[in-house]
Amino acid sequence: MRLATLRNGRPDGELVVVSADGARYLSAPGLNLISAIADWDAALPMLGRLSALLETGAGGVLDPPRIMAPMPRSWQWLDGSAFATHGELMQIAFNSPPHDTDRPLMYQGVSDRFYGPHDAIPLPSEADGIDFEGEFGVIVDAVPMGVTPEAAAGHIKLLVQINDWSLRAIAPVEMKTGFGWIQAKPPCSMAPFAVTPDELGADWANGRIGADLSVTWNGERFGLVRGDQMSFSFPELIAHAAHSRDLVAGTIIGSGTVSNAEYAARGSACISERRAIEMIADGKPTTSFMHFGDTIRMEAISSTGAKPFGAIDQKVVQAG
């Protein structure tokens, strides 16, 4: 099942169920995604009936400009860094020592706004080192403190595709404070559709998304990276986050930047990683960060050729 959120003048928008081809929708009366996920067992039968109706040809035509992020705001956004290759390359990029831990890396980011898939992205300065980061995520229902990874798997209700925007010139300064990121991490973007795990078929296995993530910068292919090389699965990330607290329904957990050991062939999902690869090969980076007017497109492609989340397709603009 595919879900989306349409603009209706309210912060959380209007929850709709979307047809398998992404062309038609039916409204879920009285619901937004936050309210639906808070009482998922009650909402799911109605959403399922709407999904079945769509497959008979019912529904209105989906208007892309109306599409918001599937969850335009959340109670909590926790982003991991679950791809070992990305972590190793970023240590080179930032000239930082290896992380001496066997625990997942995770930070708490901006959750009160997620940009929609076609929104312009306003940022203050090109000098901040504007970067995209393609990743996947999960949305959970209420998760109890101390949950095991095995039990955490049952709390995953929806899967999403995310662009975690980063300002790379600011990040090292904030990292050195030991207090984490504030300015270096503006709001993320989400692809149009949140999907139930069964929608991915065999591409959802071992708590990982096995689809390819296609990344195109200014119309040129930048990367085609697989999502299943996570060192920690999504259930393990959830269990890590819930070690000392309950997770409220609607919490979003991110995978971190998708990255593959075969980066020479597959490319990357963020500029900073490519710059690190250039440093390894040539002693210095040559790829610049983004400029105002640049465009970025990201879409997951399943093993069957389907595009379950739809595409993020955005332009970076000068704020103000």
Side-chain angles (χ1 to χ4, degrees):
M1 180 168 57
R2 282 177 159 191
L3 301 177
T5 295
L6 301 185
R7 303 181 197 278
N8 66 352
R10 300 188 180 95
D12 299 308
E14 172 190 0
L15 181 63
V16 300
V17 184
V18 179
S19 60
D21 61 4
R24 289 170 292 105
Y25 75 95
L26 287 169
S27 295
L31 289 179
N32 54 56
L33 192 49
I34 284 205
S35 63
I37 207 78
D39 196 3
W40 188 247
D41 289 342
L44 189 58
M46 180 188 71
L47 298 174
R49 288 192 293 272
L50 293 173
S51 182
L53 271 176
L54 284 164
E55 298 317 305
T56 70
V61 176
L62 193 62
D63 182 17
R66 287 192 63 198
I67 299 175
M68 305 174 73
M71 186 171 277
R73 58 179 179 171
S74 173
W75 303 112
Q76 188 163 222
W77 155 238
L78 302 172
D79 196 17
S81 182
F83 290 87
T85 298
H86 179 70
E88 293 163 3
L89 291 170
M90 293 305 287
Q91 286 163 17
I92 296 169
F94 286 109
N95 193 28
S96 59
H99 296 287
D100 186 19
T101 179
D102 58 359
R103 302 167 63 192
L105 300 177
M106 185 173 287
Y107 75 91
Q108 188 162 353
V110 176
S111 62
D112 58 359
R113 180 179 186 183
F114 288 86
Y115 289 116
H118 309 298
D119 292 345
I121 305 301
L123 293 169
S125 173
E126 292 179 350
D128 290 338
I130 302 167
D131 199 356
F132 48 81
E133 293 191 59
E135 57 184 89
F136 294 111
V138 299
I139 303 177
V140 299
D141 63 4
V143 178
M145 180 170 56
V147 70
T148 64
E150 293 75 19
H155 291 281
I156 297 172
K157 302 307 176 187
L158 294 168
L159 312 178
V160 291
Q161 177 193 313
I162 296 165
N163 181 2
D164 176 30
W165 292 98
S166 292
L167 301 178
R168 299 298 192 184
I170 299 174
V173 178
E174 292 192 317
M175 288 169 69
K176 288 176 182 177
T177 68
F179 269 59
W181 288 304
I182 294 293
Q183 295 178 351
K185 287 291 185 179
C188 301
S189 304
M190 276 195 203
F193 310 128
V195 304
T196 49
D198 61 285
E199 192 79 11
L200 267 65
D203 291 329
W204 173 248
N206 302 314
R208 296 166 171 84
I209 294 173
D212 287 337
L213 182 62
S214 170
V215 181
T216 304
W217 179 15
N218 289 333
E220 295 186 4
R221 174 62 57 84
F222 191 84
L224 185 67
V225 287
R226 284 186 59 81
D228 57 2
Q229 291 189 19
M230 294 168 68
S231 300
F232 297 95
S233 68
F234 279 112
E236 289 172 316
L237 293 178
I238 295 165
H240 173 74
H243 173 74
S244 59
R245 53 178 159 173
D246 299 334
L247 302 182
V248 68
T251 296
I252 306 169
I253 306 280
S255 65
T257 305
V258 179
S259 181
N260 295 162
E262 315 91 332
Y263 56 77
R266 285 193 165 268
S268 300
C270 78
I271 299 170
S272 193
E273 183 174 298
R274 175 177 281 189
R275 286 168 61 89
I277 294 166
E278 292 167 347
M279 289 171 67
I280 295 170
D282 305 319
K284 63 179 181 180
T286 55
T287 300
S288 67
F289 290 110
M290 299 184 81
H291 300 285
F292 296 133
D294 281 6
T295 60
I296 184 69
R297 182 180 178 90
M298 299 178 179
E299 55 188 343
I301 304 170
S302 75
S303 58
T304 65
K307 298 176 180 178
F309 303 103
I312 294 172
D313 197 347
Q314 297 182 308
K315 179 183 289 188
V316 176
V317 300
Q318 172 94 57

